[in-house]
Amino acid sequence: MAFKIGLLGLGTVGTGTADILFNPDGRHPLLQNITISQVGVKSLEKKRNIDLPSEILTTDLEAIVTNPEIDIVVELIGGLEPARSLILKAIAHGKHVVTANKAVIARYGGEIFAAANEAKVYVLSEAAVGGGIPIVEPLKQSLGANRLENIIGIVNGTTNYILTEMTEKGSDFGQVLKVAQDLGYAEADPTADVEGYDAADKIAILASLAFGCLVKREDVYCEGITKITSSDINYAEKLGFVIKLLAIAHKVQSTTETQLQLRVHPTFVPTSHPLANVNGVNNAILVEGSPLGQVMFYGPGAGSGPTASAVVADIMNIVGVLNTDKTGDNLDSLLSCSPQGQGQISPIEEVFSRFYARFLCADVPGVIGHLGTAFGENNVSLESVVQIGFQGDLAEIVVVTHHVREGNFREAIAEIRSLNAIKNIPSIIRVL
Ligand SMILES: NC(=O)C1=CN([C@@H]2O[C@H](COP(=O)(O)OP(=O)(O)OC[C@H]3O[C@@H](n4cnc5c(N)ncnc54)[C@H](OP(=O)(O)O)[C@@H]3O)[C@@H](O)[C@H]2O)C=CC1
Ligand SMILES: N[C@@H](CC=O)C(=O)O
Ligand code: NA
């Protein structure tokens, strides 16, 4: 049986997807029976990097999602609207959907999966997290036997590329971001990348899958990389760390309740840690559960070809199931998504972390003692305090704490800010 695709979007990922589907030779035989019927874009005049029959291009995306000929709608336009409405309309018209849109799935996954289950269609989103790395389907299928507790990942290619270039070549933030945009890694509005919002979308999706409940996107604590300076990168190196933007989901199970800790922030990662060596556009996701232990997924997290590989894998998964179930009466329970209830989220103040903090202080006797007292009085125990040198006439002091409750650390910092000798606290970064 032949399957017809309606492709929404012919940008970085859409072009990569069309390129695979138009060139099936040497790939899985299922691809021989999949054709692109229509492609929806914003501009018909734009020069494309791929040769397509011009009659299949249209700006009428509604006509694609309602076209009775089309079996699978592949949404690669990005953004919240009209992407969400088009996905819902496609579902209402009985189409299966493949999407790379983490922003939509993280916010409207509950609504979309409920509609899909009702309409007995699949909505797959492997490309939404980790680009070309298989992580969404493994969480739904291969890891289902485990009780999952922890996910720690580098899930944004743009910021990992920027941090790697700043660390290895001392490159300027703005210039490297421009290169990441030119390479097709960044979101249409790169604020989503550099402020951590894209990584927050992705960890919300991973947590929903791993812990089987819906996670509210706004509950993910989020800090980006825009305040990271070359000084922090250099101090990290001196102390035996590299700085990475980590996305972390942790399930805390007590006898009475289950709470989730969800956060995205720049992190000092020890150079011996497996995530420390994940560089450039690569992503890696460490998943931990019982009885498996730890497993790490690694590979290209963004870019045309790798992301298209994940999109086409989703199309093939749907086609494979449709080839065996001709009636379509029952959804495959491993491929469909039915989150149970809403996850309870711990406030960031309750999370335990280590911290690195850099202080600029007047070079007066006793200042290190004052810092130590403020930390001690708030139950923040210190692993090291080092006076590194001077910036002008201000002494630069770097502190690394043991694992402490974030609320206590924040109270200590508030007290320290009010000390006369403390002139500035240029950086506070969590330590893995
Ligand atoms: N780039 C990457 O590496 C990755 C991207 N993703 C996700 O994939 C999706 C697509 O990203 P990407 O390919 O980079 O985006 P691009 O900006 O490169 O492409 C977007 C495409 O959608 C079309 N489009 C956008 N809005 C509309 C609209 N309102 N009506 C009609 N067409 C529209 C554009 O048309 P036109 O060409 O005419 O302007 C363009 O072809 C996003 O959700 C993104 O988050 C996921 C993983 C990796
Ligand atoms: N902008 C995203 C694209 C892939 O999801 C990233 O840089 O990771
Ligand atoms: Na993926």
Side-chain angles (χ1 to χ4, degrees):
M1 179 179 169
F3 291 88
K4 295 201 168 74
I5 304 293
L7 188 58
L8 310 182
L10 193 61
T12 302
V13 186
T15 302
T17 301
D19 191 43
I20 296 175
L21 293 176
F22 279 120
N23 295 287
D25 289 355
R27 311 186 203 271
H28 196 284
L30 272 183
L31 292 175
Q32 303 285 349
N33 293 328
I34 301 170
T35 54
I36 299 181
S37 289
Q38 282 186 295
V39 180
V41 291
K42 209 186 264 178
S43 155
L44 292 177
E45 280 71 50
K46 202 182 217 175
K47 190 172 165 343
R48 305 286 163 188
N49 295 329
I50 187 166
D51 276 337
L52 294 180
S54 60
E55 65 277 10
I56 71 172
L57 276 181
T58 176
T59 53
D60 188 353
L61 276 59
E62 292 258 340
I64 299 181
V65 301
T66 56
N67 180 347
E69 302 264 285
I70 281 173
D71 304 293
I72 304 173
V73 166
V74 178
E75 184 277 303
L76 302 173
I77 64 174
L80 296 180
E81 287 294 353
R84 168 186 160 273
S85 301
L86 288 166
I87 290 172
L88 288 169
K89 195 161 243 181
I91 293 169
H93 282 77
K95 320 276 172 230
H96 305 280
V97 173
V98 172
T99 178
N101 195 328
K102 49 275 162 129
V104 161
I105 295 297
R107 288 166 186 76
Y108 304 111
E111 179 187 26
I112 287 170
F113 292 122
N117 293 341
E118 176 79 23
K120 298 218 171 0
V121 296
Y122 296 103
V123 174
L124 302 191
S125 59
E126 182 55 75
V129 187
I133 305 173
I135 178 66
V136 171
E137 290 309 315
L139 281 175
K140 283 161 66 179
Q141 304 189 34
S142 328
L143 298 179
N146 292 277
R147 293 199 184 100
L148 300 177
E149 292 145 21
N150 272 318
I151 300 177
I152 307 183
I154 294 170
V155 292
N156 183 268
T158 302
T159 46
N160 204 46
Y161 180 77
I162 294 172
L163 289 173
T164 303
E165 293 289 301
M166 287 173 74
T167 304
E168 290 182 354
K169 303 185 189 149
S171 310
D172 169 74
F173 183 101
Q175 278 168 4
V176 197
L177 171 58
K178 172 77 177 58
V179 179
Q181 288 178 285
D182 292 345
L183 290 168
Y185 301 158
E187 295 303 301
D189 177 357
T191 313
D193 296 293
V194 298
E195 294 294 356
Y197 308 148
D198 176 78
D201 291 345
K202 290 167 174 168
I203 198 68
I205 294 172
L206 293 183
S208 299
L209 293 168
F211 307 137
C213 56
L214 276 177
V215 163
K216 277 203 211 134
R217 165 59 181 80
E218 62 268 29
D219 286 341
V220 182
Y221 176 82
C222 183
E223 276 176 35
I225 64 161
T226 50
K227 296 197 186 84
I228 300 294
T229 62
S230 54
S231 294
D232 297 317
I233 289 175
N234 292 338
Y235 285 134
E237 193 184 346
K238 281 188 190 137
L239 296 165
F241 299 98
V242 286
I243 301 181
K244 296 288 180 192
L245 183 71
L246 294 190
I248 301 175
H250 177 51
K251 183 172 173 182
V252 188
Q253 186 92 56
S254 75
T255 44
T256 49
E257 58 175 6
T258 304
Q259 292 242 320
L260 306 182
Q261 298 178 348
L262 303 175
R263 52 202 169 104
V264 168
H265 48 68
T267 313
F268 271 34
V269 178
T271 50
S272 57
H273 193 280
L275 292 174
N277 295 308
V278 175
N279 290 321
V281 71
N282 287 310
N283 285 188
I285 300 128
L286 256 173
V287 180
E288 192 175 353
S290 172
L292 175 69
Q294 278 190 346
V295 61
M296 184 157 123
F297 297 81
Y298 169 83
S304 180
T307 311
S309 157
V311 171
V312 176
D314 279 348
I315 297 173
M316 287 168 51
N317 263 325
I318 294 173
V319 167
V321 170
L322 296 182
N323 270 337
T324 53
D325 175 22
K326 305 278 185 276
T327 66
D329 286 345
N330 293 304
L331 286 177
D332 178 308
S333 47
L334 291 178
L335 216 50
S336 59
C337 234
S338 304
Q340 308 293 313
Q342 194 87 45
Q344 292 300 312
I345 311 293
S346 298
I348 188 71
E349 287 76 9
E350 298 307 325
V351 174
F352 277 69
S353 305
R354 290 160 74 200
F355 288 87
Y356 150 95
R358 187 158 59 91
F359 301 90
L360 290 176
C361 334
D363 187 25
V364 291
V367 65
I368 288 186
H370 292 314
L371 280 176
T373 306
F375 280 124
E377 281 172 352
N378 286 286
N379 268 333
V380 174
S381 73
L382 302 182
E383 187 179 295
S384 64
V385 185
V386 193
Q387 178 164 347
I388 303 267
F390 285 90
Q391 272 199 26
D393 56 356
L394 294 178
E396 198 164 23
I397 296 174
V398 163
V399 165
V400 178
T401 74
H402 286 293
H403 273 98
V404 297
R405 187 181 157 274
E406 176 141 352
N408 291 49
F409 179 81
R410 289 183 180 213
E411 277 157 29
I413 289 292
E415 211 171 302
I416 289 166
R417 273 189 209 285
S418 68
L419 296 174
N420 275 340
I422 303 296
K423 302 303 173 197
N424 192 7
I425 309 178
S427 38
I428 294 175
I429 300 175
R430 292 167 190 80
V431 179
L432 194 62

